Amino acid sequence: SQTIHQWPATLVQPVGSPLSLECTVEGTSNPNLYWYRQAAGRGLQLLFYSVGIGQISSEVPQNLSASRPQDRQFILSSKKLLLSDSGFYLCAWSGLREKLFFGSGTQLSVL
Amino acid sequence: GQNIDQPTEMTATEGAIVQINCTYQTSGFNGLFWYQQHAGEAPTFLSYNVLDGLEEKGRFSSFLSRSKGYSYLLLKELQMKDSASYLCAVRDPRDSWGKLQFGAGTQVVVTP
């Protein structure tokens, strides 16, 4: 069966520090991969999605970047965090035109 | 893009029924999803509708009317554990890869 792992679960970082969140998927090949962000009390905002290794699409201009170095690995990064980067970050995967399966999420607090 | 509207919060009593409405405005349609999200946790899939009508899964049912751009999620025999946010999501018809656009979610509070 397919599983998705996301870490860390919580993170507290100072403004201006770098960020790296990692997500891996097991039990499937060539998944579509997604990074969403959820601000407190708000809906999910799609940040990045990827349909293959090295193929990244950005939905909104921002202080973050994403990379997909391997088929089942998706990384969210920032060189310098801003206060506005705080939120609940969710990695997800899907097959082609199928439902999303989410990782357990990372609660990021930028102070 | 998609404009997806759902109520912010609803309160209901244990054992009762609650209906969460979702309206969407889009130039096309390629499926609507409902997810449940408990506080601090990841969303979990509840239901998927692509054709008009009612889909029933135990205590949860979801209805779709494509002509009206309208869906609802019906929760029956409410339990305390049903207290959560319920997210309506629409698949972007312009996107062959199936990205989902989410509404802001409806917080359901179940009281004893």
Side-chain angles (χ1 to χ4, degrees), chain A residues 62-81:
Chain A
Q62 60 204 303
N63 183 42
L64 302 167
S65 61
S67 61
R68 185 170 178 173
Q70 301 180 44
D71 180 46
R72 289 169 286 181
Q73 183 185 27
F74 205 25
I75 298 172
L76 184 70
S77 303
S78 173
K79 292 182 180 178
K80 288 186 178 182
L81 284 169

Side-chain angles (χ1 to χ4, degrees), chain B residues 19-39:
Chain B
Q19 178 175 313
I20 306 168
N21 297 324
C22 172
T23 57
Y24 61 91
Q25 295 173 328
T26 173
S27 58
F29 179 79
N30 198 16
L32 185 143
F33 296 77
W34 283 97
Y35 280 80
Q36 180 191 60
Q37 185 180 24
H38 286 99

